[in-house]
Amino acid sequence: MNIPTQEISVKNTSVKLFIRREDLIHPFVSGNKFRKLKYNLIQAKKENQTTLLTFGGAFSNHIVATAYAGREQGFETVGIIRGEELASKINENPTLKFAQDCGMKFVFVSREIYKLKSSQEYLSELKQNFGPFYLIPEGGTNEWAIKGCEEILVEEDKKYDFICCATGTGGTISGIINSSFSHQKILGFLSLKGDFLKEDIRKFAINTNWDLISNYNFGGYGKVSNELIQFINEFYIKNAIPLDPIYTGKMVFGVLDLIKEGFFPENSKILLIHTGGIQGIQGMNIQLKNKNLQTIQIND
């Protein structure tokens, strides 16, 4: 798989910046979602499962990817969706509408029930309702997802000193850490508040050459600001690369800010991993318009 890598021009620095366009892997199963689902789908077939069940929120990239990939691979799909109020708003939500058009069945649950997503008792209840299924965790992170994400880096990437990626559930960065080279530093830019992901990453990561950056979450998961939206729009105009506002947009903003602050040593070569998520822009723009805020400018 030949994934393009583009150089990003950065003024007044000796640092060299590049971005791996994982978002171009597939129009609907893009970036890290493709990587995470690859071996999970293989395993589901080995187990002779016919239904995939997973969890996600209103604009989840993972829900879209699972619904589409499931249909293409011949699986029934079930999505447990956080937020009972969304049940009557499917047609107003581009993410859920697309997943439904791919054949995904939804169960809309309260936020309290959603917290039980790892509970064996709750999973047993779901099996009683839907029969046997192959469980894919929220965000897709499990051992098979890590294996897929280990394929993001290739031998030629040893020329980079730093590898940076957005971090949500910790699966993508864990795979990158495992396939990284000993001289490299892996930086995960948190898209949500809190440093609790370190323990989850340690369960999967076999190397210690990594750290998490928490200064660029813009208030937490799903939170954006006019500053971030303006940055994403300017970056798109300048580089013709779309960035999503939940993950990659925050990461790229953070890296460029750290370059400006002199965080990276002179002549460093930095590789950014674009993990996709572009489908979520349409839903985000609906929310921004409802708040009379600036929207993300991107060609559909």
Side-chain angles (χ1 to χ4, degrees):
M1 187 183 297
N2 186 21
I3 310 300
T5 299
Q6 295 177 230
E7 184 169 3
I8 305 299
S9 175
V10 186
K11 295 181 179 179
N12 304 318
T13 180
S14 62
V15 170
K16 298 293 185 181
L17 189 63
F18 303 83
I19 187 165
R20 175 70 41 79
R21 297 295 305 277
E22 292 273 306
D23 58 305
L24 299 178
I25 289 179
H26 190 281
F28 306 113
V29 191
S30 71
N32 62 344
K33 302 311 175 188
F34 180 95
R35 303 291 189 179
K36 289 181 174 183
L37 286 173
K38 177 180 177 179
Y39 290 106
N40 269 295
L41 296 179
I42 291 172
Q43 183 63 23
K45 288 185 177 181
K46 284 183 178 179
E47 295 179 13
N48 295 316
Q49 298 285 359
T50 58
T51 299
L52 308 175
L53 183 142
T54 195
F55 298 81
F59 301 106
S60 168
N61 301 316
H62 173 65
I63 289 293
V64 163
T66 302
Y68 188 91
R71 183 182 69 177
E72 292 298 293
Q73 295 290 322
F75 292 98
E76 298 291 325
T77 55
V78 178
I80 311 301
I81 308 299
R82 181 179 63 248
E84 294 172 300
E85 72 280 0
L86 297 171
S88 61
K89 300 178 181 178
I90 295 176
N91 289 330
E92 304 168 24
N93 184 306
T95 295
L96 297 179
K97 183 66 168 61
F98 181 88
Q100 185 182 67
D101 290 344
C102 289
M104 178 172 274
K105 298 176 183 177
F106 296 130
V107 179
F108 295 93
V109 299
S110 67
R111 283 155 179 78
E112 290 72 26
I113 293 178
Y114 190 84
K115 291 177 182 178
L116 301 175
K117 58 185 179 291
S118 300
S119 161
Q120 288 303 315
E121 183 179 353
Y122 181 55
L123 293 175
S124 296
E125 180 182 323
L126 291 173
K127 286 182 179 178
Q128 290 178 3
N129 294 335
F130 295 101
F133 58 76
Y134 182 85
L135 174 66
I136 302 178
E138 179 185 40
T141 293
N142 58 14
E143 61 178 313
W144 299 114
I146 307 304
K147 181 178 180 180
C149 289
E150 287 173 357
E151 297 178 353
I152 292 174
L153 295 184
V154 295
E155 182 69 21
E156 290 78 11
D157 293 330
K158 64 171 55 176
K159 63 187 177 184
Y160 299 109
D161 304 296
F162 294 86
I163 313 294
C164 301
C165 71
T167 305
T169 57
T172 303
I173 190 173
S174 295
I176 291 172
I177 291 166
N178 291 349
S179 58
S180 65
F181 299 90
S182 59
H183 68 279
Q184 295 176 325
K185 182 77 170 185
I186 315 304
L187 298 177
F189 287 74
L190 291 173
S191 60
L192 61 168
K193 284 185 177 180
D195 228 11
F196 55 89
L197 270 180
K198 283 190 174 180
E199 289 305 314
D200 291 338
I201 294 170
R202 289 189 184 107
K203 295 176 185 175
F204 295 110
I206 59 177
N207 298 318
T208 59
N209 58 334
W210 59 277
D211 202 358
L212 299 181
I213 307 292
S214 60
N215 301 340
Y216 301 98
N217 60 53
F218 286 84
Y221 182 78
K223 304 292 185 181
V224 299
S225 69
N226 280 328
E227 181 184 22
L228 178 63
I229 300 304
Q230 184 174 339
F231 166 78
I232 289 172
N233 287 338
E234 291 176 355
F235 189 86
Y236 181 65
I237 292 170
K238 183 178 179 180
N239 302 288
I241 301 174
L243 302 175
D244 84 286
I246 307 300
Y247 295 104
T248 306
K250 294 180 179 181
M251 180 268 292
V252 176
F253 181 101
V255 171
L256 288 172
D257 189 60
L258 289 177
I259 291 174
K260 191 190 313 180
E261 295 296 322
F263 175 87
F264 298 99
E266 290 187 8
N267 300 309
S268 294
K269 290 184 178 179
I270 308 169
L271 177 64
L272 312 180
I273 306 299
H274 193 319
T275 51
I278 302 305
Q279 70 82 28
I281 291 177
Q282 190 177 359
M284 176 60 74
N285 276 344
I286 292 173
Q287 291 185 326
L288 293 172
K289 285 179 181 177
N290 289 339
K291 297 177 181 178
N292 294 317
L293 297 175
Q294 181 182 7
T295 58
I296 300 169
Q297 305 304 311
I298 183 172
N299 294 328
D300 294 328

